[in-house]
Each structure stands twice: as C-alpha cells, then as structure tokens.
Amino acid sequence: MPAESLVSVGLAVPLRRRFDYVVPTDLPMPVIGARVRVPFGRRSTVGVVLAHPSTSALDPAQLRPLEAVLDATALLDAALLRLLDWAATYYHEPCGEAVMQAVPKWLRDGRSLAELQPVSYVVSDAGRAALDSNVLSRAPKQAAALRLIIDAKRMSQSDLRQAAVTADVVRRLREREFITAVRNAGTAASVSVKAFEPASDLPTLTDQQLAVVTGMREQDDGFRVNLLYGVTGSGKTEVYLRLIEDTLARGRQALLLVPEIGLTPQLVARLRERFAHGLAVLHSGLSDRERCDAWQRARSGTAGLVVGTRSAVFAAMSQPGLIVIDEEHDPSYKQQTGFRYNARDLAIVRARHADIPVVLGSATPSLESLQNARTGRY
C-alpha cells in the first residue's frame, strides 16, 4: 500500500499503540499534528495524526478509512509531539492519551478552529465618548472596564474575567454599544513586544535580587536549569518578572507554572499590573471556552506570557523562550489520576528539547533539586 495513503493516529483510549487508517482519495492527506475523525469500534472519535507509515502491521482488508480531516495545518507542532511521545514512554502511558492531554476539550470534541476563534472586545467611538462626557459617572464598574480595554487596546473574555470584570458588566457595555466584539486572527503571529513594555516605576532590586538577575542574564543562551532558593518574602517573584520581561523583549514567549489555582488570582493581578495584556491563563477553574481561548492565544503567539497550573506544561506555544516553575517542590505538580506525570520534570524536558532556560523557584526546594544544584547538574 502506498505510503501516502496511510496515517497512524493517536486516540484517547487505554491501549498502548497507535492506530493505522487509510486516507480515502476524496480527502486531503492530513499533516502530522492535525486532528482527524476516525471510526473506532462502533463509534466515531477524534485523534491526532502522529506519523505517515509506509506499511501497516494489519492486513489491508482490516484497515478502515478516515471519516474526516479536521485541520488543514498542524494543531500540535513537532516539538510538542516529541515531548508528548517522551512523556508516554517515560511514564508508561498510552501515547494517544498523552497526546490528547495537549488538546483542549472543545477541540477533542471535533469542533473546528474557525468556529472557536477567541472573541476580544474593543471600545467603540460611543464608548470613548461616554468616558469623555462622564456619562458613566453612576456606573463606575463599566467605566473601569472601558479604561482597561482602552489601555490594552483589546481584551478577550478570559482577560476580562481575570481582571474581575463580570459578565453582567460586559453584557451592559455591549447592549449600550460601548464595546464591540471582534474575532482574533487564527494564524500564528510573533509576540507583540510593545504589549510588554515594563512600567516606569519598577521596584528597586535588592542586592541579592540584582546579583541573581545579572548572573542569569550573563549565562550562555540555550538550555540550562537554575534553582532559585529564597525564603518566603525574599523577592523571588520579582526575579521571575525581570527574566520574563527579558524574554518578551526578545520576541519570545514565557511559561510560568504555579502549583495551585488558589495562587493564580493574586499572581495574575500582579502580572496584569506589570504587563497590561498579552497574558493567557490556563487552569481547571476556567470554562471550556476560556481554556480554548487561552490555548489558542498561546499557540498563535498573541499571548506572550502563559500562566497556569500543571496541565499548562502542555500548552502549545509558537515561540517558547523561558519556563519558570514557582514552588517547584510542591506535590500539586504531580498528576495522580488518568495520565500520570510530574509537570515540573516535564517542563525541564520540554525546555531541553526547545533549548531554552528553566528557573525553579522555592523557599523549600525538593531534595532532588538541591542535589542537582550542589553537584553542578543545575
């Protein structure tokens, strides 16, 4: 059977194998990393193409045809697929279940990317006029939301929620035609450096912070792991922010992992004060729509900074440049059900594959990280 007529597909099923299918002549050949809809048993399901094999171990008569090709381009790039394949092998998990960890639920259900393009809001001329004329003097929440959107130029639904703007405020602004909904472009884009210009009143670094930041800036480019060991309140977060700013200034993206959802609101508020917008937040407390929006913004590069809990280690990023793991010792980075993994360790492997630096921060580092630092491995 010709090589171009076969694909190997990863499916979210508890079987440690890939599944071969025939590509019908009336369907385009799907690229590696694209989603396809396939028959599996008595049902249809969505999977990701992992290879174009030349032959199959199955008899040609046993091979079933694809039902549909859902993506014209790769949903997951080669670097992310390599990480997922490594994780499946290392943790002895089915490759399909590992791969589908990186796909948002709505896309696992087979919805099209065009249908799910993130919605953002911009302020209309009427909204600007309302602010200038003080029409909203009795609606301070609406006025504050308009100022947020103006400062950021546009804000997604997820951005607004993270900024504590309620759905009711958004609804009222839309009803009054003070804001307009626009769909973000779905193609990959470079990170907008202007969106991440630091504030002019940055806090002064302590001698220790300055030494750490300077030392990391002087390191060679490429993969390296730094362990940042500092007691609570010593200023580790400010070090993270300076390194993230450096990354964004180079037009690259940064991934910041935090252990618990409960830590996210305070941290996100601080990040919004610092970076204004271009922030994607990923954690299990979001709705499926919000997670999909954030995932697409990270994948396209329009979000330069991705913040999330352990599952965010699988976030698609077009231009990764730095990974930071806060409280690296925390057991919450270990997924204990379904596909089991340690997000901290996977983040290090992902950085090694991408040849970018990693920063592990903690007031109480894990014993293995301390040992790795003392022996020179970190």
Side-chain angles (χ1 to χ4, degrees), residues 48-68:
V48 173
V49 176
L50 301 179
H52 296 149
S54 58
T55 60
S56 175
L58 294 176
D59 184 277
Q62 295 179 289
L63 294 172
R64 303 174 72 180
L66 296 182
E67 294 178 348

Side-chain angles (χ1 to χ4, degrees), residues 159-242:
D159 287 336
L160 289 167
R161 174 178 169 176
Q162 294 297 328
V165 177
T166 65
D168 183 63
V169 169
V170 173
R171 179 181 59 79
R172 290 178 182 273
L173 289 173
R174 293 192 68 176
E175 288 175 349
R176 302 176 76 172
E177 299 184 348
F178 290 164
I179 60 175
T180 303
V182 294
R183 289 203 176 270
N184 297 341
T187 56
S190 60
V191 177
S192 175
V193 177
K194 292 182 179 179
F196 299 97
E197 291 179 355
S200 57
D201 56 346
L202 294 178
T204 302
L205 296 179
T206 65
D207 291 342
Q208 285 184 323
Q209 287 174 321
L210 183 60
V212 169
V213 172
T214 302
M216 291 187 184
R217 285 172 174 169
E218 292 175 348
Q219 292 175 341
D220 294 334
D221 293 337
F223 172 69
R224 61 183 183 275
V225 184
N226 288 292
L227 177 61
L228 183 57
Y229 182 9
V231 298
T232 302
S234 61
K236 295 189 295 297
T237 301
E238 184 60 33
V239 172
Y240 302 155
L241 300 187
R242 297 298 175 101

Side-chain angles (χ1 to χ4, degrees), residues 123 127-128 130-137 139-155 160 165 173 178-179 276:
V123 177
R128 293 177 184 274
L131 278 178
D132 294 339
S133 62
N134 212 27
V135 168
L136 295 174
S137 58
K141 292 183 179 179
Q142 294 179 43
L146 287 179
R147 293 189 186 97
L148 276 175
I149 300 172
I150 289 173
D151 289 343
K153 295 185 176 59
R154 65 168 59 189
M155 293 184 74
L160 289 167
V165 177
L173 289 173
F178 290 164
I179 60 175

